[in-house]
Amino acid sequence: MNTQSRPRVPTPSIFVVFGAAGDLTKRKLIPALYNLKKQHLLPKQFAIVGVDRGARTEEEFRDYLSEQVPEFIGKDFDKHIWDDLCSRIYLSKADFNDLEAFERLKTRLAQVDQLQGTPGSYLFYLATPPNFFGTIAENLHAVGLSQEQENYWRHIIIEKPFGRDLASAKALNQQLHQSFNEDQIFRIDHYLGKETVQNILAYRFANSTVEPIWNHRYVDHVQITVAESVGVENRASYYEGAGALRDMIPNHLLAVLSVIAMEPPNSFSANALRDEQTKVLRAIKPFAPEDVLTETVRGQYGPGLMHGEQVLGYREEPRINPESKTETFVAMKIMIDSWRWVGVPFYIRTGKRLPGRYTEVAVYYKQAPNAMFRDSPLAHQNMPANKLILRLQPNEGIDMSFNAKIPGPNMNLGNVIMDFHYSDYFGAAPTTGYETLIYDCMNGDATLFKRADNIEVGWEIVEPILDVWGALPARSFPNYVAGTWGPQEAEELLQRDGRQWNACRVCQTE
């Protein structure tokens, strides 16, 4: 029997989105708010204020969203719910560098407070290019919109990238802290909003059969894969200046690694959890320059076939330098200097134009001793080790493979898989991946958000790699064909240790 407590509804507030005309707003944020409303998780007194530099009127903005958003909600679209939400959408035009525009925003928010019965609690969502993060925060503070009172709160959400290296990450944190307190700042990583990532915590710490063997005595190694079948699409200008390492490792993959490897926190409070995650990152063995050459791999895709169709190589993509040295694939071996994980390698990889789209964690356990089978046919069999797969996307769930006897007179073993899908057991609610994060931010729960020190430690880990790769540009690009699993060096990274990458059973094409 499942016992569930009903989630509490946040206090009345206004969702203020900067960059309101951008793709993120129509594809993810407004659909997420729609889904929250459908699940009765928005307060009755609620409004949305879009802030953008465009020329649309407020009515035109509502019409634009009414035309665009239903596509991203899908077949569960309910016009009555949308009409009510849409009637609460307002617009404030602003140049993000213009302080007077923020004075006008302040006036507009006060007007909406009167219209919708909200008390002055605002969630500022910065769906803008990162160069505006600090400026917007400073201007909000300058006009008094960052200050909280006893009867209302003010929170600010920023999207990645949180800087492009350690120095810029520290500078951004310092700039944000001049305008907002740390407990008002919510650095969003939508990977941490996925149900399966959160369920890793429940799986590890709520089951007595799991945690006792979650350590170096029983685990041989861990693999974390984030694979994408798409290319750079409409992100060329950003991606060319960032690359796969900056784009994915300090945030998404290290976030997942920290959840997998963290010690049990004293409580499930935000700071207790984030303390343990940061401790894990600080325990990662630093990369010396020679380690970068042997324990990391970079790649760039060339032309190839994707699902029977010819696709361009990265250098042929629109707005990409034809001699680009930007990596679209990264793999590395990480060692954690802690009692729990001593000697256990964590292999992580991410890339574009791979054969499928999926995100998973594969935990390989050590081989079981087979001395008892030495006089049986099993003495000549290769018994696979037990393996746990935590699927983050698609088809969120958990696989466990183990050995069982094949029916018959002889003691022969076969490998079998127990396969758990969340949707089969709990049902599937429509989600963009942002619902939980927006809901938590409204409630002031920072558990699934990055803290300043966590961000900086992530950049400290990758900084030596950035330095070596910057000093020694790749000579072999492109070095993997679109539609394959990356460069051969990534396979060799594991082969040198007598291992190989896990083959995904449920890859999804895009």
Side-chain angles (χ1 to χ4, degrees):
M1 176 178 169
N2 295 324
T3 58
Q4 297 184 19
S5 59
R6 183 167 179 80
R8 67 186 178 100
V9 177
T11 56
S13 61
I14 298 177
F15 183 90
V16 185
V17 54
F18 289 85
D23 274 1
L24 181 64
T25 300
K26 71 178 183 181
R27 289 174 178 267
K28 300 292 186 181
L29 302 183
I30 301 299
L33 291 170
Y34 169 93
N35 289 335
L36 287 172
K37 183 172 180 60
K38 191 171 185 178
Q39 297 165 29
H40 307 289
L41 294 177
L42 285 185
K44 291 182 179 180
Q45 293 79 35
F46 179 77
I48 301 168
V49 174
V51 184
D52 204 82
R53 295 173 292 179
R56 286 191 182 97
T57 64
E58 193 163 84
E59 196 60 38
E60 289 171 340
F61 182 57
R62 290 180 178 178
D63 291 343
Y64 161 76
L65 291 177
S66 294
E67 178 183 339
Q68 296 287 323
V69 169
E71 174 188 351
F72 303 105
I73 293 173
K75 57 183 173 62
D76 295 311
F77 179 76
D78 185 318
K79 190 174 186 302
H80 295 291
I81 294 175
W82 171 252
D83 287 345
D84 182 66
L85 186 65
C86 189
S87 69
R88 301 166 182 270
I89 297 176
Y90 302 87
L91 184 66
S92 181
K93 298 178 185 178
D95 181 327
F96 302 150
N97 293 305
D98 181 8
L99 188 59
E100 290 185 5
F102 284 77
E103 291 285 4
R104 293 193 296 272
L105 172 63
K106 183 178 181 179
T107 300
R108 187 60 172 145
L109 289 173
Q111 293 170 348
V112 175
D113 280 333
Q114 292 294 318
L115 291 169
Q116 297 293 343
T118 47
S121 295
Y122 307 142
L123 191 166
F124 301 107
Y125 199 113
L126 275 53
T128 69
N131 55 298
F132 288 115
F133 291 168
T135 300
I136 292 173
E138 288 178 349
N139 285 337
L140 288 171
H141 178 71
V143 299
L145 284 173
S146 66
Q147 288 80 5
E148 296 181 316
Q149 298 291 338
E150 187 175 345
N151 60 328
Y152 62 77
W153 48 260
R154 305 281 168 84
H155 298 159
I156 185 169
I157 292 184
I158 63 172
E159 283 267 354
K160 75 171 182 82
F162 313 111
R164 56 175 285 106
D165 52 26
L166 180 59
S168 59
K170 286 183 174 180
L172 176 59
N173 281 332
Q174 184 178 13
Q175 196 173 16
L176 291 171
H177 287 152
Q178 289 172 351
S179 303
F180 289 84
N181 296 325
E182 177 62 30
D183 61 5
Q184 295 177 272
I185 302 169
F186 292 74
R187 300 169 187 82
I188 198 167
D189 185 337
H190 64 269
Y191 266 72
L192 294 183
K194 295 183 183 299
E195 287 291 341
T196 316
V197 175
Q198 298 172 64
N199 197 58
I200 292 171
L201 297 171
Y203 179 78
R204 283 190 58 190
F205 301 127
N207 295 296
S208 60
T209 59
V210 176
E211 187 60 17
I213 60 171
W214 204 262
N215 56 59
H216 70 276
R217 293 178 178 174
Y218 299 94
V219 174
D220 178 76
H221 72 282
V222 179
Q223 300 178 20
I224 302 174
T225 296
V226 177
E228 299 177 274
S229 60
V230 297
V232 292
E233 296 183 300
N234 60 356
R235 301 176 69 221
S237 57
Y238 161 72
Y239 202 88
E240 178 69 350
L245 180 65
R246 284 187 170 96
D247 187 47
M248 297 295 291
I249 302 299
N251 40 74
H252 296 332
L253 275 87
L254 289 183
V256 175
L257 181 147
S258 67
V259 173
I260 291 293
M262 65 186 281
E263 293 297 320
N266 293 327
S267 71
F268 271 85
S269 69
N271 277 331
L273 280 164
R274 295 189 296 181
D275 283 346
E276 297 302 333
Q277 290 170 333
T278 302
K279 287 178 186 176
V280 168
L281 298 183
R282 291 194 185 281
I284 289 176
K285 180 183 175 184
F287 285 93
E290 56 271 22
D291 296 329
V292 176
L293 300 178
T294 59
E295 308 297 342
T296 71
V297 175
R298 53 181 158 169
Q300 184 190 91
Y301 66 84
L305 287 175
M306 295 290 301
H307 322 303
E309 295 185 6
Q310 186 69 34
V311 297
L312 299 173
Y314 178 75
R315 292 179 175 183
E316 288 80 49
E317 299 271 17
R319 293 177 286 127
I320 297 297
N321 181 351
E323 296 181 355
S324 174
K325 302 296 185 183
T326 299
E327 78 283 350
T328 61
F329 178 96
V330 176
M332 64 181 68
K333 175 182 175 181
I334 289 175
M335 303 300 295
I336 300 175
D337 286 334
S338 69
W339 179 93
R340 181 183 294 269
W341 298 115
V342 63
V344 178
F346 284 70
Y347 302 99
I348 65 177
R349 64 174 173 172
T350 183
K352 291 188 175 295
R353 286 297 187 208
L354 302 183
R357 177 179 74 91
Y358 76 99
T359 301
E360 71 173 26
V361 178
V363 180
Y364 280 73
Y365 291 95
K366 292 184 177 180
Q367 192 84 35
N370 63 354
M372 65 179 292
F373 302 116
R374 61 179 173 268
D375 296 325
S376 75
L378 288 178
H380 305 290
Q381 290 182 233
N382 181 23
M383 292 190 300
N386 296 156
K387 179 172 62 176
L388 174 74
I389 305 295
L390 302 161
R391 297 190 310 272
L392 277 63
Q393 66 175 10
N395 304 318
E396 291 88 348
I398 301 173
D399 291 352
M400 171 61 86
S401 67
F402 58 94
N403 299 308
K405 181 184 178 295
I406 299 173
N410 295 325
M411 178 58 78
N412 293 321
L413 294 187
N415 191 249
V416 297
I417 297 175
M418 289 195 302
D419 189 358
F420 159 64
H421 291 251
Y422 283 95
S423 58
D424 292 342
Y425 198 82
F426 297 110
T431 178
T432 68
Y434 283 79
E435 288 84 358
T436 298
L437 296 165
I438 292 173
Y439 171 81
D440 283 354
C441 185
M442 289 180 176
N443 283 314
D445 183 354
T447 302
L448 299 177
F449 295 84
K450 297 292 194 71
R451 203 168 56 189
D453 57 343
N454 186 277
I455 294 294
E456 293 176 12
V457 173
W459 280 114
E460 287 175 5
I461 293 167
V462 302
E463 189 94 338
I465 305 173
L466 291 170
D467 291 343
V468 172
W469 286 4
L472 300 172
R475 299 178 182 177
S476 59
F477 283 0
N479 61 352
Y480 71 97
V481 176
T484 65
W485 285 109
Q488 178 59 30
E489 290 85 350
E491 303 297 329
E492 294 169 357
L493 180 66
L494 272 70
Q495 289 170 1
R496 288 197 298 269
D497 295 338
R499 304 181 177 104
Q500 61 183 11
W501 290 105
N502 186 59
C504 176
R505 293 195 309 115
V506 289
C507 294
Q508 176 173 302
T509 59
E510 290 171 307

